[in-house]
Amino acid sequence: MERRDTTNIGFLVFPGFPMACLTSAIEPLRAANEISDREAFSWRVLSENGEAVTASANVVFQPDCSLRDVENLDYLFLLSDPESAFAVPASGNGHLRYLARHGVQIGAVSGGVFPLAASGLLLGHTCSVHWCYRAAFEKAFPEIAVSDDVLVLDRRRLTASGAAAMFDLMLGMIEDTLDSVVMTEVACWFQHPMVRTEGVGQSVPAFKTAGVTRDLPPPLAKAIAVFSDNLEEPVSIGDVAEQAEVSPRKLERQFKKYLGQSPLNYYRMLRMNAARQQVLYSRNSLSDVALSVGYNSSSTLSKHYRRAFGLSPSEERNQKSNRFKIERGQPIPVA
């Protein structure tokens, strides 16, 4: 594409998109323009058809234009929740592919990886997926490579796991477009203490504690990683202890000391959280959800699910569906 003095960025928003991801992108760009005293960056908010879009916080955004009418973009980022899709997929996906063919770098933040993956533009690429969506994403798009890094810049596909990661991605863009001095000043304006680049892993909560997994002793962190990698085909505590290079008894003591529960209970909760991602963010049948987290039947899954979350998978899915309809003013069927 012809090089311009201003880098033009589009943000394609879908209903329910996380507002923090948009502000985390635009605010550092605005600050960079002000600090450098030039219009180094311009941005436009787009929607599929140019109509207003309501964010997850129920704030309404009026886009600058529709996706089909946008011109002269250097970058386009998709912002959405995990269930978002184009109202007219053939047209929306086709236009994304058209832009990519004509030199626009395409990216996504948070749940935006779902509609981006559905367009086919992530095939053959690795992408960053927020840990709370990973199980649902891998089930929906098993052919796409997923990374736990906060940022993945794979050729002309740029993905960020969440709002803070999007801020980091914009800081990198500011450094490339202007210089590291401006980038550092922007980071300091917003008291952004650490600029993260590729290769930095996401912080994942150690469930039922106030800590994160990277703060745990190495054998415990290794055990959690083994559990996380074996949700569909359950592993025994003895095998996990062997891979963590500790005895089963020592592993049990470490789980009780640092996580307040047994390895078995922790493992079950990991599987329940993975199941919940699919219940909330996919249309997979409950039988398929059960099999994906190591249960032979949906009834067994439902029993453990209710114990963990206080309601069955079908009840939670119905509740979410009804909330979605209320937010969009749609009628709720009466039984």
Side-chain angles (χ1 to χ4, degrees):
M1 295 183 67
E2 181 183 352
R3 182 170 179 81
R4 295 182 289 271
D5 290 336
T6 299
T7 298
N8 298 310
I9 305 171
F11 299 102
L12 176 60
V13 297
F14 291 78
F17 77 94
M19 190 170 67
C21 293
L22 181 61
T23 56
S24 291
I26 291 177
E27 282 299 294
L29 300 179
R30 175 194 63 79
N33 284 350
E34 188 170 342
I35 291 167
S36 64
D37 197 26
R38 55 169 283 209
E39 191 181 15
F41 301 96
S42 72
W43 50 88
R44 280 162 283 179
V45 177
L46 321 173
S47 70
E48 179 178 0
N49 52 19
E51 296 179 357
V53 174
T54 302
S56 59
N58 288 325
V59 176
V60 179
F61 284 77
Q62 181 60 55
D64 298 298
C65 65
S66 69
L67 175 63
R68 65 179 174 272
D69 292 329
V70 72
E71 296 179 346
N72 300 323
L73 285 184
D74 297 300
Y75 296 87
L76 176 66
F77 292 95
L78 279 63
L79 289 73
S80 76
D81 71 14
E83 292 185 293
S84 294
F86 285 112
V88 185
S91 174
N93 291 331
H95 203 78
L96 285 184
R97 292 193 290 269
Y98 169 84
L99 292 172
R101 287 196 304 271
H102 286 78
V104 178
Q105 297 198 51
I106 309 290
V109 55
S110 189
V113 292
F114 284 79
L116 182 56
S119 75
L121 287 174
L122 284 177
L123 288 172
H125 294 77
T126 299
C127 66
S128 172
V129 178
H130 194 289
W131 61 266
C132 74
Y133 301 145
R134 178 164 180 162
F137 185 88
E138 289 182 323
K139 189 67 175 177
F141 305 103
E143 70 281 9
I144 297 175
V146 171
S147 171
D148 288 325
D149 289 352
V150 294
L151 294 173
V152 175
L153 313 180
D154 188 353
R155 290 156 288 166
R156 301 183 70 80
R157 303 292 178 267
L158 301 80
T159 50
S161 56
M166 191 63 173
F167 197 103
D168 291 314
L169 180 56
M170 295 299 102
L171 288 176
M173 192 178 295
I174 291 166
E175 183 175 28
D176 292 341
T177 304
L178 296 169
D179 56 42
S180 59
V181 174
V182 174
M183 182 273 287
T184 301
E185 188 168 347
V186 171
C188 291
W189 267 31
F190 294 95
Q191 293 297 295
H192 196 72
M194 180 183 71
V195 180
R196 299 173 300 177
T197 57
E198 288 186 276
V200 177
Q202 298 179 43
S203 294
V204 180
F207 297 111
K208 304 299 183 183
T209 77
V212 296
T213 53
R214 69 185 178 199
D215 297 330
L216 298 174
L220 195 51
K222 174 64 176 178
I224 290 173
V226 174
F227 283 147
S228 299
D229 291 338
N230 291 274
L231 300 179
E232 188 169 350
E233 297 293 336
V235 291
S236 70
I237 303 303
D239 288 341
V240 174
E242 183 176 351
Q243 293 186 56
E245 300 181 342
V246 293
S247 68
R249 186 175 179 183
K250 183 173 181 178
L251 186 65
E252 182 93 19
R253 288 199 302 268
Q254 287 200 346
F255 265 91
K256 290 288 181 63
K257 177 180 178 180
Y258 290 96
L259 302 177
Q261 57 189 304
S262 70
L264 186 60
N265 286 340
Y266 188 89
Y267 190 21
R268 181 176 295 154
M269 200 63 202
L270 279 181
R271 293 159 69 191
M272 288 301 99
N273 278 286
R276 196 177 203 186
Q277 289 181 33
Q278 296 181 59
V279 168
L280 294 175
Y281 306 125
S282 81
R283 295 179 175 85
N284 298 335
S285 71
L286 296 185
S287 295
D288 286 343
V289 173
L291 290 173
S292 73
V293 293
Y295 290 95
N296 292 325
S297 71
S298 58
S299 60
T300 305
L301 169 68
S302 294
K303 181 177 69 174
H304 291 294
Y305 197 101
R306 183 181 292 277
R307 186 179 301 160
F309 305 120
L311 70 175
S312 71
S314 58
E315 289 169 345
E316 182 151 52
R317 182 170 276 180
N318 287 337
Q319 282 189 8
K320 186 175 190 297
S321 175
N322 288 339
R323 287 196 303 271
F324 184 88
K325 290 175 180 176
I326 289 171
E327 289 168 359
R328 286 155 178 78
Q330 300 173 11
I332 299 173
V334 178

